[in-house]
Amino acid sequence: MPEWLESLLRSLQDSPLGDAVRSTPFMYATLESLHILGIAVLVGPAFAFDLRLLGVGRRLVSVPQAARYLLPVSHVGLAIAVVTGISLFSAQAVGVAGSGAAPWKLGLLLVAGLNVLAFHRGIYRRVDEWADADATPAAARVSAVVSMTTWTGVIFAGRFLAYV
């Protein structure tokens, strides 16, 4: 690990936030529980939306309707997961960053974020043209598979942070 990165991580770990997470009784366990809840609130609706893109429930709900109801819930989950994740990371930043799973989690988070960006700036801009089609466009289906795969990988890598 480069010296400048270790110094940055050590600063985060030695910050008042890192110290509070380590030294306050039940803080780490509470944050970890909230982090898992945030992930559930993020990934559950995201998977439901991805499944809709793959054709599940197409006769029941349109893609724009699914987006309108599910994606705001995912945004709440993302906010919870980010805040709690940074807090948890601050407690053991040097050790966690040195884990073999850390590059996987970070890389998969990056891919997941880029996939969301590409979907919303790409194929979803023309959703009105294909919302009532028998099948969603291939680009939307590929985005759904990438989303489900990367979020699953993020969850696995996150769990492996403690063991690898």
Side-chain angles (χ1 to χ4, degrees):
M1 176 179 325
E3 189 175 317
W4 65 268
L5 180 57
E6 187 167 346
S7 176
L8 181 67
L9 293 170
R10 177 98 29 228
S11 294
L12 175 60
Q13 189 169 296
D14 294 340
S15 71
L17 175 61
D19 186 52
V21 173
R22 278 190 311 279
S23 63
T24 305
F26 306 111
M27 175 75 81
Y28 193 90
T30 300
L31 287 169
E32 198 167 34
S33 298
L34 290 171
H35 190 63
I36 292 167
L37 179 63
I39 291 166
V41 174
L42 162 64
V43 175
F47 268 45
F49 182 70
D50 292 336
L51 288 169
R52 175 56 193 90
L53 291 175
L54 293 171
V56 175
R58 70 185 157 117
R59 297 186 197 281
L60 299 174
V61 64
S62 70
V63 171
Q65 204 173 20
R68 185 171 38 256
Y69 293 118
L70 295 170
L71 298 184
V73 177
S74 276
H75 298 156
V76 171
L78 178 63
I80 293 167
V82 166
V83 169
T84 57
I86 290 169
S87 299
L88 289 165
F89 183 66
S90 73
Q92 304 170 16
V94 175
V96 170
S99 165
W104 285 98
K105 183 168 183 178
L106 187 59
L108 288 166
L109 279 169
L110 181 63
V111 171
L114 291 173
N115 183 57
V116 168
L117 187 65
F119 175 77
H120 285 283
R121 294 195 183 258
I123 192 68
Y124 192 72
R125 285 185 179 223
R126 297 186 311 278
V127 69
D128 293 335
E129 297 170 17
W130 53 266
D132 296 325
D134 284 340
T136 56
R141 293 192 311 271
V142 167
S143 179
V145 170
V146 169
S147 172
M148 294 173 81
T149 303
T150 55
W151 284 117
T152 299
V154 166
I155 292 168
F156 272 78
R159 291 305 309 138
F160 273 81
L161 284 174
Y163 304 103
V164 179

